[in-house]
């Protein structure tokens, strides 16, 4: 991007607004994970005033970039009196500047800008068991995986679903894309549970995407992973008045973030306002009502467009 507007993205945003007849020009934005650095780590407990400096010092162990080249934010949890758990996310400053420039060129103002993993994680209700769940948002050529607990992602990664053309369906009936996802999902879960060293496991896997494609995957995947695998309908339902397509999971999640600031959040706007002055952050007011959002999501052809493999909701 190098701070410049991405014209195809600008046109896609403008088209989405025109077709949906939205009057508001204030938006909450969920960024594709391929543009985001995401890390989970722990630190000794310390006063809140020391968090910023400690996080910047600690994160240098995990990222190959200078902090002044990034726009970043973090969320802190304290599971024990002696330990802090930190979710850290960052985006290249130039890339973020391009996003802000594209939004400004399209005539819209960001209320918040967050990673897609946060948007999806927000759909997961608090669990008293302390167990994790795995959310998988399946697209045409890739899938986004987030391992989540209490509305916060602890691991986020993208998986390419482009498998070799000569891969034959297994006896289970899973096609090449599903086989690829299952293999990478198993690796991701195993890696996370080793790194996190938690006595609790993955309680459930939730799938989002094209329902007709994903429905046949649930039972075979559950058998292989030995974990229940379900469509994510039950996670979206509490936030909307009537059913919406499962492809709109991140769109539902990010609207919840904009309307409820008491939830866990990673917002790149906190430290990114000066990147592109033309795209000033809007005050948190004037958003569409939840009923309006539900009505828009029920007609995805009017508000969903794609450019350069980016989905714009």
């Amino acid at each position: 991007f190098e701070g410049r507007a991405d014209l195809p993205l600008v046109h896609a945003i403008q088209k989405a607004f025109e077709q949906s007849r939205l009057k508001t020009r204030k938006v909450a934005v969920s960024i594709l994970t391929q543009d985001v650095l995401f890390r989970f780590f722990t630190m000794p407990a310390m006063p809140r005033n020391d968090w910023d400096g400690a996080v910047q010092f600690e994160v240098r162990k995990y990222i190959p970039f200078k902090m002044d080249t990034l726009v970043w934010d973090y969320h802190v949890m304290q599971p024990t009196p002696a330990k802090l758990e930190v979710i850290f996310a960052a985006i290249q400053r130039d890339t973020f500047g391009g996003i802000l420039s594209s939004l400004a060129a399209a005539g819209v103002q960001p209320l918040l800008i967050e990673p897609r993993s946060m948007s999806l994680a927000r759909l997961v209700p608090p669990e008293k068991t302390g167990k994790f769940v795995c959310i998988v948002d399946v697209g045409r050529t890739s899938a986004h995986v987030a391992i989540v607990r209490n509305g916060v992602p602890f691991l986020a990664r993208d998986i390419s679903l482009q498998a070799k053309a000569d891969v034959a369906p297994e006896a289970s009936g899973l096609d090449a894309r599903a086989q690829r996802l299952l293999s990478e999902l198993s690796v991701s879960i195993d890696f996370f549970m080793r790194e996190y060293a938690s006595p609790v496991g993955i309680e459930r896997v939730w799938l989002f995407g094209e329902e007709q494609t994903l429905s046949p995957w649930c039972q075979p995947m559950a058998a292989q992973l030995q974990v229940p695998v379900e469509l994510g309908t039950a996670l979206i339902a509490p936030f909307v008045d009537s059913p919406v397509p499962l492809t709109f999971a991140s769109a539902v999640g990010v609207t919840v973030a904009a309307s409820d600031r008491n939830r866990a959040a990673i917002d790149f706007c906190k430290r990114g306002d000066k990147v592109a002055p033309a795209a000033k952050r809007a005050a948190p007011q004037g958003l569409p009502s939840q009923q309006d959002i539900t009505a828009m999501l029920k007609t995805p052809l009017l508000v969903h467009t794609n450019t350069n493999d980016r989905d714009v909701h």
Side-chain angles (χ1 to χ4, degrees):
F1 281 113
E2 297 182 355
R4 295 172 296 182
D6 179 347
L7 291 181
L9 180 58
V10 171
H11 295 155
I13 295 171
Q14 291 173 332
K15 181 180 178 181
F17 269 82
E18 290 169 2
Q19 293 183 333
S20 61
R21 297 180 177 87
L22 279 173
K23 294 181 180 180
T24 183
R25 310 306 290 180
K26 299 168 186 178
V27 296
V29 181
S30 185
I31 302 177
L32 292 178
T33 316
Q34 63 194 30
D35 293 328
V36 177
L37 296 166
F38 189 93
R39 295 291 184 273
F40 162 77
F41 54 89
T42 61
M43 301 191 309
M46 63 188 71
R48 184 181 293 268
N49 290 341
D50 296 334
W51 286 0
D52 259 26
V55 167
Q56 291 182 68
F57 176 82
E58 186 70 18
V59 80
R60 291 190 184 102
K61 302 176 184 178
Y62 306 103
I63 62 174
F65 303 102
K66 294 181 178 180
M67 293 296 288
D68 60 4
T69 67
L70 304 173
V71 174
W72 52 275
D73 194 20
Y74 62 89
H75 176 71
V76 175
M77 299 157 288
Q78 188 164 3
T80 69
K83 183 173 74 171
L84 300 177
E85 295 181 333
V86 182
I87 308 299
F88 176 90
I91 185 170
Q92 289 282 353
R93 187 167 290 271
D94 287 344
T95 301
F96 187 74
I99 292 171
L100 290 183
S101 296
S102 297
L103 293 171
V108 298
Q109 297 175 307
L111 287 165
L112 67 89
I113 300 178
E114 69 177 10
R116 177 166 55 160
S117 54
M118 285 298 301
S119 304
L120 294 170
R122 200 170 287 106
L123 302 175
V124 179
E127 292 285 349
K128 295 181 180 179
T129 62
K131 290 188 176 181
F132 295 92
V133 299
C134 182
I135 291 181
V136 187
D137 195 3
V138 181
R140 289 171 296 179
T141 60
S142 64
H144 175 61
V145 175
I147 294 181
V148 175
R149 187 177 66 188
N150 294 337
V152 178
F154 284 69
L155 176 144
R157 64 168 298 212
D158 287 317
I159 296 173
S160 172
L161 299 182
Q162 295 177 324
K164 295 180 179 180
D166 58 352
V167 175
E170 293 184 341
S172 64
L174 289 175
D175 60 25
R177 292 171 70 239
Q179 289 182 51
R180 171 76 174 172
L181 176 60
L182 177 61
S183 174
E184 292 294 328
L185 192 56
S186 178
V187 169
S188 297
I189 291 174
D190 289 345
F191 169 80
F192 176 76
M193 298 315 299
R194 288 197 307 271
E195 289 294 306
Y196 191 75
S198 171
V200 297
I202 302 295
E203 188 172 56
R204 195 172 305 271
V205 175
W206 298 96
L207 299 182
F208 293 100
E210 293 289 345
E211 185 171 344
Q212 186 174 359
T213 299
L214 300 182
S215 291
W217 295 6
C218 292
Q219 186 174 351
M221 283 189 172
Q224 293 289 327
L225 295 172
Q226 298 185 340
V227 174
V229 178
E230 299 180 20
L231 296 180
T233 308
L235 294 187
I236 293 181
F239 300 104
V240 294
D241 296 330
S242 56
V244 299
L246 295 181
T247 52
F248 280 74
S250 60
V252 174
V254 77
T255 59
V256 174
S259 61
D260 185 356
R261 293 306 181 102
N262 293 321
R263 292 175 179 265
I266 287 180
D267 183 3
F268 292 133
C269 285
K270 289 180 182 178
R271 294 176 173 85
D273 285 339
K274 296 181 181 179
V275 175
K280 294 180 180 179
R281 190 181 184 188
Q285 57 186 8
L287 278 173
S289 67
Q290 192 66 49
Q291 290 77 14
D292 291 339
I293 292 169
T294 300
M296 290 183 290
L297 293 175
K298 286 171 64 180
T299 56
L301 291 178
L302 294 180
V303 297
H304 178 206
T305 185
N306 178 278
T307 178
N308 293 342
D309 227 15
R310 285 191 182 92
D311 286 325
V312 178
H313 298 289

